[in-house]
Amino acid sequence: MKKPLLALTVLSLSLTSLFSTLPAQAALPLSVSGEQLPSLAPMLENVTPAVVSIAVEGTHVSKQRIPDQFRFFFGPDFPAEQQQEQPFRGLGSGVIIDAKQGHIVTNFHVIKNAEKIRVKLQDGREYDAELIGGDEMSDVALLKIDKAKNLTQIALADSDQLRVGDFTVAIGNPFGLGQTVTSGIVSALGRSGLNLQNFENFIQTDAAINSGNSGGALVNLNGELIGINTAIFGPNGGNVGIGFAVPVNMMKNLTEQILEFGEVKRGVLGIQGGEITSELAEAIGYESNKGTFVNQVFVDSAADKAGIQAGDIIVSINGKTINSFHEFRAKIGTLGAGKKVTLGIVRDGKETAVKVTLGEQENIKASVEKLHQGLTGASLTNTNASDSVKGVKVSSVEAGSPAEAYQLQASDIIIGVNRQPVENLAELRNVLEQQSGVLALNIQRDNRTIYLIVR
């Protein structure tokens, strides 16, 4: 440990000696031959206030199996497993995407299991943050801070326009040191197969990303957000020039769904597909390895209704080329149910376009039982245009559940709770988070309005 410190000291002294030999009035030049020296400073002055540091506290719950000899000694009633709670603290980064609403995006793994989330702005102000929602499968979460004024939000780029070789700048809070800026280029696009998350379509960059950068900003030279820094590839958890970020277009799709529905409403095409290997390409006479090969189309799915067939090769989404099955799966899975997309497909050597309306993975099930036990067993969705009123529709009620006991019925539409109107799942979730005890649900049932009391 002494040698590096000594080397650093010597370097410092040598630099001091060097500058001491310069005339007192000497300074670093601002221009050369009348031309301004290039600098990222002007751009960063506008962007860095939008990047925040995040500190979390929580409790990890782990289960430990009790050895059989202990159970034999204490008797058969002794539990087979024992739960252990371990407090934890963590650090990460976040990006302000809506200054007016106080919305901050970060990685889901940064705030997972957190019981307290604290956000620190660049100017030193600190606020408690509320988790609006997140998607663990895509590693994106949305936070909100209240009563914060004079926030700076970041502009969003179109990540589909990125090219390998574009310059990148990473901003975050590595190792808890405070806001740090590094630079590099886009090393690759559409990275997948890393076994990091279920939906993988990463931007790869050689801008230095380290522990604590998670959730921070990856921006272009215009100061526009192109990705959310997520992971690094390194044997010891340190930077080796290979970092990954969630593309901003994917992040935007997810946060819009969280704000509208209270959670991610995942879109489904209804196919079974895979990568195009060189052997497969040769077998079907396809002169490329880019795209998604359709192995099977499920009956009555969105793909089936659009006329997609087994053996088709999907090569683009809305005019954007698809490089791999993982990239295709990630984009479809984060677009959202009900979205209309145009798919480019190759069939029998000819390319054509097919318009598809993505289906819904399943009924949106709000985790309302965590907010109020009386609603356990009810599956809830947002109303659509064909419904008579706006609200939260009860799509089904499990037999014998508390929801059935309180007389909730399928097709009921919740339009208010305790005199507060609700028009979607997000509003219902917000109201339930603020309520405790008895709920007075205002229900639209058939052509009449009723109240149900849920305890």
Side-chain angles (χ1 to χ4, degrees):
M1 295 299 293
K2 293 183 178 179
K3 289 184 178 180
L5 181 60
L6 178 61
L8 181 62
T9 304
V10 171
L11 176 62
S12 175
L13 288 174
S14 64
L15 289 174
T16 303
S17 301
L18 173 63
F19 284 113
S20 66
T21 63
L22 295 176
Q25 69 273 19
L28 293 175
L30 296 178
S31 62
V32 175
S33 301
E35 295 187 8
Q36 188 77 20
L37 288 176
S39 174
L40 297 176
M43 177 271 286
L44 290 170
E45 288 172 356
N46 295 324
V47 173
T48 51
V51 182
V52 304
S53 299
I54 297 176
V56 300
E57 297 180 17
T59 305
H60 280 305
V61 178
S62 60
K63 292 183 179 180
Q64 183 178 13
R65 181 171 177 79
I66 305 300
D68 291 338
Q69 56 266 34
F70 281 92
R71 298 186 65 207
F72 176 80
F73 181 78
F74 289 106
D77 294 333
F78 196 78
E81 292 182 333
Q82 185 178 23
Q83 284 192 348
Q84 290 186 337
E85 295 186 354
Q86 183 68 37
F88 74 89
R89 292 183 178 183
L91 296 172
S93 307
V95 185
I96 301 172
I97 59 171
D98 189 327
K100 184 177 180 180
Q101 299 297 326
H103 290 160
I104 298 171
V105 68
T106 186
N107 287 142
F108 187 90
H109 76 259
V110 170
I111 53 81
K112 184 178 180 180
N113 298 324
E115 297 164 2
K116 182 179 180 180
I117 305 173
R118 189 76 173 168
V119 168
K120 184 177 182 180
L121 305 183
Q122 186 202 34
D123 60 15
R125 289 179 292 166
E126 295 189 25
Y127 300 91
D128 288 327
E130 169 196 0
L131 175 63
I132 298 178
D135 182 35
E136 186 171 11
M137 297 178 71
S138 302
D139 203 15
V140 170
L142 186 64
L143 310 178
K144 179 180 175 64
I145 55 177
D146 289 321
K147 300 178 181 179
K149 298 181 179 180
N150 300 321
L151 296 178
T152 299
Q153 71 184 50
I154 198 165
L156 306 184
D158 180 359
S159 55
D160 286 337
Q161 301 297 324
L162 284 175
R163 299 175 301 170
V164 173
D166 286 347
F167 287 105
T168 61
V169 177
I171 312 170
N173 178 32
F175 302 112
L177 292 172
Q179 193 173 90
T180 302
V181 178
T182 56
S183 66
I185 63 170
V186 174
S187 305
L189 295 168
R191 282 296 192 218
S192 60
L194 306 175
N195 297 318
L196 296 176
Q197 300 297 331
N198 291 325
F199 288 106
E200 299 178 6
N201 179 33
F202 295 119
I203 302 166
Q204 181 181 325
T205 180
D206 64 347
I209 296 174
N210 290 284
S211 298
N213 272 109
S214 291
L218 188 69
V219 304
N220 58 23
L221 294 188
N222 293 324
E224 299 167 325
L225 186 69
I226 59 176
I228 300 298
N229 299 323
T230 297
I232 56 176
F233 186 83
N236 300 313
N239 172 62
V240 293
I242 301 178
F244 302 98
V246 176
V248 69
N249 288 6
M250 181 183 293
M251 177 277 292
K252 184 179 178 183
N253 289 331
L254 294 167
T255 54
E256 286 177 350
Q257 293 172 55
I258 291 170
L259 288 172
E260 182 177 358
F261 305 112
E263 56 191 315
V264 172
K265 188 178 181 182
R266 207 170 302 287
V268 173
L269 181 60
I271 67 165
Q272 188 178 71
E275 305 289 355
I276 299 176
T277 62
S278 56
E279 294 83 1
L280 176 60
E282 182 178 357
I284 62 178
Y286 182 59
E287 298 181 353
S288 175
N289 64 346
K290 293 184 177 181
T292 293
F293 184 75
V294 180
N295 297 322
Q296 180 183 355
V297 177
F298 298 113
V299 177
D300 293 330
S301 66
D304 188 24
K305 294 174 183 177
I308 296 175
Q309 300 175 11
D312 287 347
I313 300 172
I314 302 174
V315 295
S316 66
I317 299 178
N318 294 334
K320 308 296 183 183
T321 301
I322 294 298
N323 293 306
S324 67
F325 170 70
H326 286 286
E327 178 186 355
F328 176 75
R329 178 175 177 268
K331 287 188 173 182
I332 291 294
T334 54
L335 274 174
K339 287 290 182 69
K340 292 178 171 57
V341 297
T342 300
L343 302 179
I345 64 171
V346 174
R347 180 183 299 165
D348 300 327
K350 298 179 180 179
E351 186 170 347
T352 185
V354 175
K355 293 185 177 181
V356 183
T357 301
L358 297 181
E360 192 171 331
Q361 186 174 25
E362 58 183 13
N363 286 336
I364 298 296
K365 294 183 178 180
S367 300
V368 290
E369 63 272 11
K370 296 180 181 179
L371 302 173
H372 201 287
Q373 292 295 323
L375 296 178
T376 302
S379 295
L380 308 177
T381 65
N382 286 315
T383 53
N384 51 46
S386 63
D387 292 305
S388 58
V389 296
K390 284 187 176 182
V392 177
K393 192 170 187 176
V394 180
S395 56
S396 65
V397 177
E398 294 179 7
S401 67
E404 184 187 51
Y406 287 117
Q407 301 180 19
L408 271 178
Q409 298 179 12
S411 298
D412 282 352
I413 299 176
I414 302 172
I415 58 176
V417 179
N418 293 1
R419 296 179 180 260
Q420 295 187 48
V422 294
E423 293 189 352
N424 53 49
L425 277 169
E427 291 183 4
L428 175 64
R429 187 186 300 275
N430 289 336
V431 172
L432 292 181
E433 286 176 344
Q434 300 170 12
Q435 304 291 337
S436 61
V438 176
L439 298 180
L441 300 182
N442 191 3
I443 303 288
Q444 179 77 27
R445 180 178 294 172
D446 298 326
N447 295 322
R448 58 197 177 97
T449 300
I450 65 173
Y451 274 92
L452 295 180
I453 306 302
V454 177
R455 294 180 171 81

